[in-house]
Structures are given as C-alpha cells and as structure tokens.
Amino acid sequence: MPNQTEFPFANARRISESEVIAAEKAIKQQFGINLTQSKSSLKNEIENYQSISIKLHPKIITWAKAEAEKKGVEYQVIINEVLLKAITV
C-alpha cells in the first residue's frame, strides 16, 4: 500500500443512521456521555462555569489527571466534582 499523506475521502463511505445511533449508544454505555443531548442545553451547561486561574499542588494535578484518564474526561472535571462534593456534604 502506498504511503498516503491524506485520507482518501472520495473513496470513503458514509456511515448509516443506524450506525450513528449504535455508536452513540455504545459511547453512552461505556463512558456515560450522552451525544444526543441538545447542543443548546450543553452550551448552557458550559456557560454556567466560570473560568479562573488557580495554583494547585502538583500531587493534586497528577491525581486528577490519572482519575480523568480512567474516566475519559478532562482533569478539571475531576477537580470540579471533588469540590462540589465538598460543599454539598
């Protein structure tokens, strides 16, 4: 097979609607991510967060990144979950 630098999109087939639905179900089942959630509600959810800059101990970052990799999310999500649990207990 010749070394190609670009994917041959002209030769690729489109996936069917049933394949899209099956993939979304598999992602939701394995990772808990709902891809069929409306984009506007996802945007509203993201807009509820405030961007800040914070200095944390390197051990916290290392732990959060390891946990995030296990769950397939960003490490900031892990830190946010821990902080939310701390204030709701």
Side-chain angles (χ1 to χ4, degrees):
M1 182 169 177
N3 187 8
Q4 296 179 343
T5 58
E6 287 189 29
F7 183 82
F9 288 102
N11 299 332
R13 73 171 182 87
R14 290 191 167 277
I15 61 173
S16 69
E17 183 67 26
S18 62
E19 290 172 313
V20 171
I21 292 168
E24 288 176 347
K25 285 181 182 177
I27 290 169
K28 183 175 183 180
Q29 195 172 40
Q30 184 167 357
F31 301 109
I33 300 170
N34 186 3
L35 297 176
T36 57
Q37 181 180 15
S38 72
K39 290 181 182 179
S40 62
S41 65
L42 183 58
K43 183 179 177 185
N44 289 339
E45 185 178 315
I46 291 169
E47 288 176 353
N48 287 333
Y49 288 80
Q50 183 178 357
S51 181
I52 63 162
S53 176
I54 184 172
K55 292 182 182 183
L56 299 171
H57 193 282
K59 288 182 181 180
I60 294 172
I61 302 296
T62 302
W63 170 82
K65 286 183 177 181
E67 290 297 308
E69 189 171 328
K70 290 178 196 173
K71 293 184 177 183
V73 297
E74 298 287 333
Y75 75 95
Q76 295 94 333
V77 171
I78 300 299
I79 295 169
N80 195 54
E81 286 176 353
V82 170
L83 293 171
L84 283 171
K85 284 179 187 175
I87 65 169
T88 57
V89 171

